[in-house]
């Protein structure tokens, strides 16, 4: 076991930076060895599923989007609804494939390479009966981080109401998810400009 301050090394820091977790531990759970067959299986899944995503986008979604020859506000409401419904199924499939590629294949591949023992990256969110349950289950890394470093300090140390603590966690999580999307889709400057105008 590692005890403080023996954990204050570059090796320990880099391990935490690359490990598939957001919560730091002095002693992370470790698996005994790296399984090569497991790595090959996860790597194969990533290649096949990303290729499938590309094909679905090219063959199913792109033809629908190419029929747009003018801005959406120049189409009738029924035409917009029709296009939205035609895009709904491929969009849903692409989202599910991306979820599996990232949360199952990629995170398990990284965990196996680092011999990281905790492999619970998501729980059965498809069985959730309400939105609260869904958010708790679909990304356990972010959920555990928010619970440990935001919710519990607000409720136990600052005496905040549990409902208000949950709302604060939801707002912070939503903000950072939006920031990520802003940078991914490169509309960050407009987002931060609007954020600045709202709060000043």
């Amino acid at each position: 076991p590692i005890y403080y301050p023996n954990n204050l090394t570059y090796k320990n820091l880099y391990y935490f930076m690359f490990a598939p977790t957001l919560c730091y531990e002095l002693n992370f759970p470790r698996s005994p060895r790296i399984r090569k067959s497991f790595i090959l299986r996860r790597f194969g899944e990533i290649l096949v599923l990303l290729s499938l995503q590309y094909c679905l986008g090219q063959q199913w979604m792109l033809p629908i989007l190419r029929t747009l020859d003018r801005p959406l506000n120049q189409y009738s409401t029924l035409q917009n609804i029709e296009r939205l419904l035609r895009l709904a199924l491929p969009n849903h499939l692409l989202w599910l494939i991306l979820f599996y590629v990232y949360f199952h294949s990629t995170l398990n591949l990284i965990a196996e390479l680092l011999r990281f023992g905790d492999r619970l990256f998501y729980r059965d969110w498809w069985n959730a009966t309400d939105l609260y349950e869904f958010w708790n289950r679909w990304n356990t890394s972010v959920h555990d981080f928010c619970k440990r470093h935001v919710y519990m300090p607000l409720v136990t140390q600052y005496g905040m109401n549990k409902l208000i603590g949950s709302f604060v966690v939801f707002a912070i999580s939503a903000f950072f998810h939006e920031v990520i999307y802003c940078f991914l889709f490169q509309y960050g400057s407009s987002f931060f400009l609007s954020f600045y105008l709202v709060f000043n």
Side-chain angles (χ1 to χ4, degrees), residues 97-164:
I97 292 170
L98 182 65
F99 175 86
Y100 187 87
V101 165
Y102 180 70
F103 283 96
H104 187 77
S105 302
T106 305
L107 291 180
N108 270 303
L109 176 67
I110 293 168
E112 190 67 28
L113 288 171
L114 295 174
R115 292 178 43 227
F116 189 76
D118 184 9
R119 305 292 174 92
L120 186 65
F121 306 119
Y122 60 91
R123 293 195 304 272
D124 58 339
W125 52 264
W126 49 89
N127 289 330
T129 55
D130 58 15
L131 198 56
Y132 179 78
E133 214 174 346
F134 171 80
W135 288 120
N136 286 347
R137 293 179 179 186
W138 93 277
N139 186 345
T140 56
S141 297
V142 171
H143 174 262
D144 292 345
F145 176 83
C146 289
K147 184 175 181 180
R148 178 176 169 180
H149 294 289
V150 181
Y151 178 77
M152 292 307 290
L154 287 175
V155 173
T156 58
Q157 293 175 3
Y158 298 105
M160 193 175 280
N161 185 317
K162 289 182 178 181
L163 185 63
I164 295 172

Side-chain angles (χ1 to χ4, degrees), residues 65-93:
L65 295 173
R66 283 189 177 144
T67 61
L68 298 170
D69 55 358
R70 55 188 188 272
L72 288 177
N73 59 6
Q74 294 180 9
Y75 289 99
S76 70
T77 304
L78 286 176
Q79 288 175 316
N80 283 332
I81 290 173
E82 183 260 338
R83 279 194 179 81
L84 182 67
L85 290 175
R86 284 176 58 200
L87 287 170
L89 183 60
N91 183 53
H92 190 70
L93 285 174

Side-chain angles (χ1 to χ4, degrees), residues 11-121:
K11 182 181 176 183
N12 195 282
L13 173 67
Y14 287 130
Y15 185 86
F16 171 62
M17 287 174 61
F18 290 103
T21 183
L22 295 174
C23 293
Y24 180 77
E25 301 285 339
L26 278 171
N27 296 283
F28 288 107
R30 303 294 295 272
S31 52
R33 63 185 180 86
I34 297 175
R35 298 169 291 174
K36 292 177 185 168
S37 60
F38 187 86
I39 290 173
L40 288 174
R41 197 167 41 234
R42 296 291 85 83
F43 190 69
E45 284 176 358
I46 292 168
L47 287 179
V48 168
L49 291 173
L50 288 179
S51 301
L52 177 63
Q53 269 193 313
Y54 179 77
C55 292
L56 281 173
Q58 290 290 319
Q59 298 296 319
W60 201 349
M61 295 182 83
L62 206 54
I64 297 169
L65 295 173
R66 283 189 177 144
T67 61
L68 298 170
D69 55 358
R70 55 188 188 272
L72 288 177
N73 59 6
Q74 294 180 9
Y75 289 99
S76 70
T77 304
L78 286 176
Q79 288 175 316
N80 283 332
I81 290 173
E82 183 260 338
R83 279 194 179 81
L84 182 67
L85 290 175
R86 284 176 58 200
L87 287 170
L89 183 60
N91 183 53
H92 190 70
L93 285 174
L94 289 178
W95 187 88
L96 288 173
I97 292 170
L98 182 65
F99 175 86
Y100 187 87
V101 165
Y102 180 70
F103 283 96
H104 187 77
S105 302
T106 305
L107 291 180
N108 270 303
L109 176 67
I110 293 168
E112 190 67 28
L113 288 171
L114 295 174
R115 292 178 43 227
F116 189 76
D118 184 9
R119 305 292 174 92
L120 186 65
F121 306 119

Side-chain angles (χ1 to χ4, degrees), residues 162-179:
K162 289 182 178 181
L163 185 63
I164 295 172
S166 297
F167 178 75
V168 169
V169 168
F170 180 78
I172 290 172
S173 175
F175 174 77
F176 282 108
H177 279 80
E178 286 302 314
V179 168

